[in-house]
């Protein structure tokens, strides 16, 4: 409707209750500052909805109830307030949804249980914290989902039970302090997942779910967190844990070494 209209600064409500696609609706409207409420109850596609709207400050609550694709929804925009939840049972793609939205601070609730791709969903955004469960139960690709989120401090609970690739998922989140729950049950690759997370001190991993090599190198992982991880390791799938340059390494004891050896896992130290 407004795609690349450089004169648009504010928008007016339209009757959209029967609309099924709002692809690129505001894409490229670099002077747009505000998007009002729309009835999107039947909309399935929001690809690039407000991508590149670098002056955008506020988006009124939007319903994603029928959404199939949320890809690049507001990629590269200057959105300051999203104003609602990201909830859809039907969305399958949320890749790069808020990529580069440096002023986006809070999202109340993320529930995309049918989504398969959440890669780079919040990469390089300004998100500070997630206060509720992140339900991406069937997502198989979560690569770089929160990478480069310099203000992110915590993840309360993220359901990654189906994630196969979790590469660089939290890379360079240098203020991330703890992840209260994360699941590696289906993961086959988590390269550099915590690289650059220098303040990460606690990660609660679902017991028995870790069956790949994983690195906490350069993080602030405590010995208590490390021992908690050891207690939940699956002895049937031994791999290695890298704790180079972490507090956990400094307090690592012979007793810890024995417990780790009993699981068949190995500690890796550069």
């Amino acid at each position: 409707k407004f795609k690349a209209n450089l004169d648009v600064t504010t928008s007016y409500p339209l009757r959209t209750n029967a609309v099924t696609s709002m692809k690129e609706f505001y894409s490229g409207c670099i002077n747009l500052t505000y998007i009002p409420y729309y009835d999107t109850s039947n909309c399935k596609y929001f690809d690039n909805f407000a991508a590149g709207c670098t002056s955008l400050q506020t988006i009124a609550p939007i319903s994603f109830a029928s959404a199939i694709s949320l890809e690049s929804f507001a990629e590269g925009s200057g959105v300051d307030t999203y104003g609602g939840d990201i909830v859809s049972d039907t969305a399958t793609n949320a890749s790069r949804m808020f990529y580069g939205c440096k002023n986006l601070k809070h999202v109340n609730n993320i529930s995309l249980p049918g989504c398969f791709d959440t890669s780079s969903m919040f990469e390089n955004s300004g998100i500070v914290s997630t206060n509720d469960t992140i339900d991406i139960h069937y997502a198989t690709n979560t690569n770089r989902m929160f990478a480069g989120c310099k203000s992110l401090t915590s993840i309360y609970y993220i359901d990654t039970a189906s994630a196969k690739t979790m590469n660089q998922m939290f890379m360079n989140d240098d203020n991330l302090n703890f992840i209260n729950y994360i699941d590696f049950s289906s993961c086959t690759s988590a390269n550099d997942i915590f690289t650059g997370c220098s303040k990460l001190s606690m990660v609660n991993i679902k017991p028995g779910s870790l069956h790949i090599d994983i690195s906490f190198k350069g993080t602030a992982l405590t010995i208590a967190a490390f021992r908690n991880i050891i207690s939940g390791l699956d002895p049937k799938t031994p791999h290695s844990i890298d704790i180079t340059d972490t507090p956990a390494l400094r307090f690592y004891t012979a007793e810890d070494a024995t417990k780790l050896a009993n699981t068949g896992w190995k500690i890796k130290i550069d």
Side-chain angles (χ1 to χ4, degrees):
K1 178 66 179 180
F2 297 101
K3 181 182 176 183
N5 185 338
L6 303 186
D7 295 327
V8 172
T9 55
T10 58
S11 181
Y12 47 85
L14 299 173
R15 185 177 296 175
T16 55
N17 59 298
V19 171
T20 58
S21 176
M22 296 179 79
K23 287 184 177 181
E24 301 183 340
F25 198 78
Y26 289 106
S27 179
C29 295
I30 60 174
N31 294 314
L32 182 69
T33 59
Y34 172 72
I35 295 176
Y37 170 78
Y38 290 106
D39 181 350
T40 57
S41 55
N42 290 300
C43 190
K44 298 182 183 299
Y45 303 96
F46 290 91
D47 310 56
N48 294 284
F49 175 79
C53 296
T54 53
S55 299
L56 186 61
Q57 296 177 1
T58 306
I59 302 176
I62 291 179
S63 168
F64 298 112
S66 299
I68 291 175
S69 182
L70 300 167
E71 186 175 5
S72 302
F73 173 82
E75 179 181 346
S77 77
V79 61
D80 180 62
T81 304
Y82 167 63
D85 302 333
I86 304 173
V87 178
S88 173
D89 290 334
T90 53
T92 60
N93 189 346
S95 175
R96 301 174 71 92
M97 185 176 181
F98 290 106
Y99 182 98
C101 294
K102 294 187 179 300
N103 292 312
L104 178 68
K105 304 299 182 185
H106 300 284
V107 175
N108 297 327
N109 180 34
I110 302 170
S111 181
L112 300 169
C115 196
F116 295 109
D117 189 348
T118 60
S119 60
S120 299
M121 184 175 178
F122 293 101
E123 183 173 349
N124 292 336
S125 76
I127 193 165
V128 173
S129 62
T130 56
N131 299 323
D132 209 338
T133 297
I134 302 173
D135 182 1
I136 50 170
H137 182 79
Y138 288 107
T140 57
N141 180 1
T142 64
N143 292 340
R144 301 187 65 84
M145 184 175 178
F146 291 100
C149 294
K150 301 294 187 181
S151 299
L152 183 64
T153 58
S154 62
I155 297 288
Y156 172 65
Y157 185 107
I158 184 165
D159 184 351
T160 49
S162 301
K164 295 183 182 300
T165 56
M166 301 169 72
N167 300 314
Q168 302 176 358
M169 188 173 177
F170 300 100
M171 188 176 187
N172 293 331
D173 292 354
D174 45 22
N175 281 300
L176 182 61
N177 180 254
F178 75 90
I179 299 173
N180 194 53
Y181 179 91
I182 191 167
D183 187 346
F184 288 90
S185 294
S186 301
C187 188
T188 58
S189 177
N191 297 328
D192 296 313
I193 184 171
F194 300 123
T195 295
C197 297
S198 58
K199 294 181 180 178
L200 183 64
S201 61
M202 178 65 72
V203 180
N204 288 320
I205 297 172
K206 180 183 177 181
S209 72
L210 194 61
H211 50 269
I212 55 170
D213 292 341
I214 193 163
S215 176
F216 294 95
K217 182 179 179 179
T219 69
L221 189 75
T222 65
I223 189 63
F226 179 63
R227 287 168 180 164
N228 187 52
I229 292 170
I230 291 176
S231 68
L233 291 177
D234 184 355
K236 298 176 183 177
T237 56
H239 286 273
S240 66
I241 301 178
D242 190 339
I243 57 170
T244 304
D245 297 329
T246 68
L249 177 59
R250 294 199 298 272
F251 296 99
Y252 186 68
T253 66
E255 183 180 355
D256 294 321
T258 299
K259 289 181 179 179
L260 190 61
N262 289 339
T263 67
W265 284 64
K266 295 180 179 179
I267 189 172
K268 182 180 178 182
I269 305 169
D270 287 348

